[in-house]
């Protein structure tokens, strides 16, 4: 079974098939209006969402299918203590495909382990958000025209920003990609991302203190919100929340063809006076999210009947029960019955990484 838990679950070819299908859907909307007739998408959202949940809903409706699910887990039997694994087994009786957002990191992996229908990770804590990555890639394709040879600046919360982690992973497979990291000390990109993703794939990166010093070099400026909900300490959030605010003045040296992306929602990191600038692509990006989710739903439903299409959830070299995950938000620490699973880390420091959330063990 093919699931989408992390962008790297898709080969470069599969990813490009999805982008190409999304482009065809944009050009030929009518052709796809019955494509998912009789199919049901379950949207299981344990965490708030506007864009992801509603774009999945709109996507399935435009494909002629139906949608069921919940947008607040408090109204489901999760409030009685039902595990993610059991909820998934139940939903398998009702739907053909699942889109799940969860605050527990690794929840989509656990769901996929317990599912006979495709599971799409619609965001698991600060770990991964692969459909935002597909949205970002479709936007880069439509706005810039290529994935190779781009310089992309990531600005803001690079520590907790799962959309940043996922997009760097996806772009690391293309030639000539350069990454500029613009973040305060407390919100820098985690070391494992620098080592396992940038270093291992030969992606050059620099860390800078201000967006102004690199503005004229960028093809894409990817702004992010500081994620208040991921902080354990509110004072720490207050110290970093206003570090980077993009306004018209800071865009002075940006190239005319540069594009500003943001996964949204924004708080104050992009001033509203930027919205009318033709380089501001973030609301166009939202609509691309619906088209690319239409393409993803079609592909995963097609691939569900193809025995050659699989997602490796537990690598063959994973070790069982030997370590404990140090991440308090990992599903292995939050739910009963989730087996400890670690895989060898493919970075300079060696050791192992949690299969669910990618943290190193205690
Ligand atoms: N970009 C994104 O994931 O938005 P939502 O949280 O509104 O789904």
């Amino acid at each position: 079974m093919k699931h989408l838990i992390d962008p790297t679950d898709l080969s470069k070819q599969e990813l490009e098939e999805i982008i190409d299908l999304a482009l065809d859907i944009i050009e030929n909307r009518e052709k796809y209006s019955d494509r998912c007739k009789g199919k049901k998408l379950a949207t299981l959202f344990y965490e708030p969402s506007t864009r992801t949940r509603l774009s999945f809903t709109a996507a399935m409706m435009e494909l002629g299918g139906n949608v069921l699910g919940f947008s607040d887990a408090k109204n489901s039997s999760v409030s009685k203590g039902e595990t993610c694994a059991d909820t998934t087994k139940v939903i398998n009786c009702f739907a053909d495909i699942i889109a799940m957002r969860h605050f527990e990191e690794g929840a989509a992996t656990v769901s996929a382990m317990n599912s006979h229908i495709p599971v799409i990770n619609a965001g698991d804590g600060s770990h991964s958000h692969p459909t935002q990555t597909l949205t970002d890639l479709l936007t880069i394709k439509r706005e810039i025209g290529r994935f190779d040879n781009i310089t992309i600046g990531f600005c803001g919360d690079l520590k907790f920003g799962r959309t940043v982690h996922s997009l760097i992973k996806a772009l690391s497979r293309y030639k000539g990609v350069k990454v500029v990291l613009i973040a305060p000390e407390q919100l820098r990109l985690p070391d494992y991302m620098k080592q396992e993703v940038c270093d291992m794939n030969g992606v050059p990166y620099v860390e800078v203190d201000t967006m102004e010093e690199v503005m004229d070099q960028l093809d894409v400026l990817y702004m992010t919100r500081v994620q208040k909900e991921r902080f354990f300490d509110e004072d720490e959030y207050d110290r970093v929340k206003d570090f980077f605010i993009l306004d018209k003045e800071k865009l002075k040296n940006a190239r005319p063809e540069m594009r500003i992306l943001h996964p949204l929602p924004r708080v104050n990191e992009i001033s509203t006076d930027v919205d009318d600038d033709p380089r501001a692509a973030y609301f166009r990006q939202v609509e691309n999210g619906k088209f690319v989710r239409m393409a993803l739903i079609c592909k995963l439903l097609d691939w569900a009947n193809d025995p050659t299409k699989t997602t490796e959830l537990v690598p063959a070299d994973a070790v069982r029960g030997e370590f404990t995950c140090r991440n308090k938000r990992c599903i292995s620490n939050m739910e009963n019955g989730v087996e400890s699973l670690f895989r060898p880390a493919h970075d300079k420091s060696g050791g192992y990484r949690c299969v669910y959330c990618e943290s190193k063990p205690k």
Side-chain angles (χ1 to χ4, degrees), residues 48-52 101 129 132 263-265:
S49 165
T50 298
R51 274 146 295 274
T52 310
R101 170 169 291 190
H129 191 357
Q132 182 63 48
L264 303 180

Side-chain angles (χ1 to χ4, degrees), residues 159-270:
K159 179 178 178 185
F160 295 114
R162 59 190 170 197
T163 61
V164 171
H165 303 175
S166 297
L167 185 55
I168 293 176
K169 276 188 191 174
L171 286 174
S172 70
R173 297 196 276 190
Y174 290 89
K175 282 198 295 265
V177 171
K178 293 184 192 147
V179 168
V180 181
L181 304 168
I182 313 159
E185 186 70 40
Q186 301 92 324
L187 296 177
R188 291 255 162 105
L189 192 73
D191 285 343
Y192 87 84
M193 283 293 302
K194 292 179 200 160
Q195 293 164 1
E196 267 198 50
V197 182
C198 296
D199 292 344
M200 295 282 289
N201 293 292
V203 176
Y205 65 88
V206 289
E207 296 189 293
V208 299
D209 295 325
T210 66
M211 60 177 101
E212 294 91 314
E213 67 195 273
V214 291
M215 195 62 92
D216 62 348
Q217 301 162 29
L218 302 178
D219 298 301
V220 177
L221 173 60
Y222 194 97
M223 296 295 297
T224 61
R225 172 178 68 94
V226 177
Q227 312 230 336
K228 185 175 186 180
E229 65 276 26
R230 311 279 177 226
F231 281 75
F232 289 113
D233 175 355
E234 196 149 331
D235 291 342
E236 183 70 8
Y237 169 74
D238 286 335
R239 274 194 288 279
V240 295
K241 69 180 170 38
D242 295 329
F243 259 66
F244 297 107
I245 297 176
L246 177 66
D247 56 22
K248 253 190 182 344
E249 177 63 22
K250 290 190 183 132
L251 275 177
K252 243 179 16 206
N253 294 328
R255 297 178 195 158
E257 63 276 16
M258 187 196 83
R259 290 294 179 268
I260 306 158
L261 271 61
H262 190 311
L264 303 180
R266 75 172 147 193
V267 183
N268 62 348
E269 61 279 0
I270 303 180

Side-chain angles (χ1 to χ4, degrees), residues 101-115:
R101 170 169 291 190
H102 210 301
F103 49 88
E104 294 172 358
E105 296 176 13
T109 303
V110 170
S111 178
M113 286 169 169
N114 289 280
S115 186

Side-chain angles (χ1 to χ4, degrees), residues 13 26 33 36 65 84 95 118 144 159 229 251 281-282 299 318:
Q13 188 189 326
I26 292 166
S33 60
C36 288
C84 181
I144 307 279
K159 179 178 178 185
E229 65 276 26
L251 275 177
Y282 32 91
K299 284 288 177 191

Side-chain angles (χ1 to χ4, degrees), residues 1 3 5-6 9 106 108-114 310-321 337-344 346 352-357:
M1 178 62 60
H3 305 282
I5 309 301
D6 184 89
D9 292 333
T109 303
V110 170
S111 178
M113 286 169 169
N114 289 280
T310 55
T311 300
E312 188 186 53
L313 297 170
V314 185
D317 53 1
V319 296
R320 294 171 186 273
V338 178
E339 185 183 25
S340 155
L341 283 170
F342 280 78
R343 62 164 176 83
H346 303 289
Y352 288 85
R353 290 203 177 281
C354 178
V355 161
Y356 307 103
C357 73

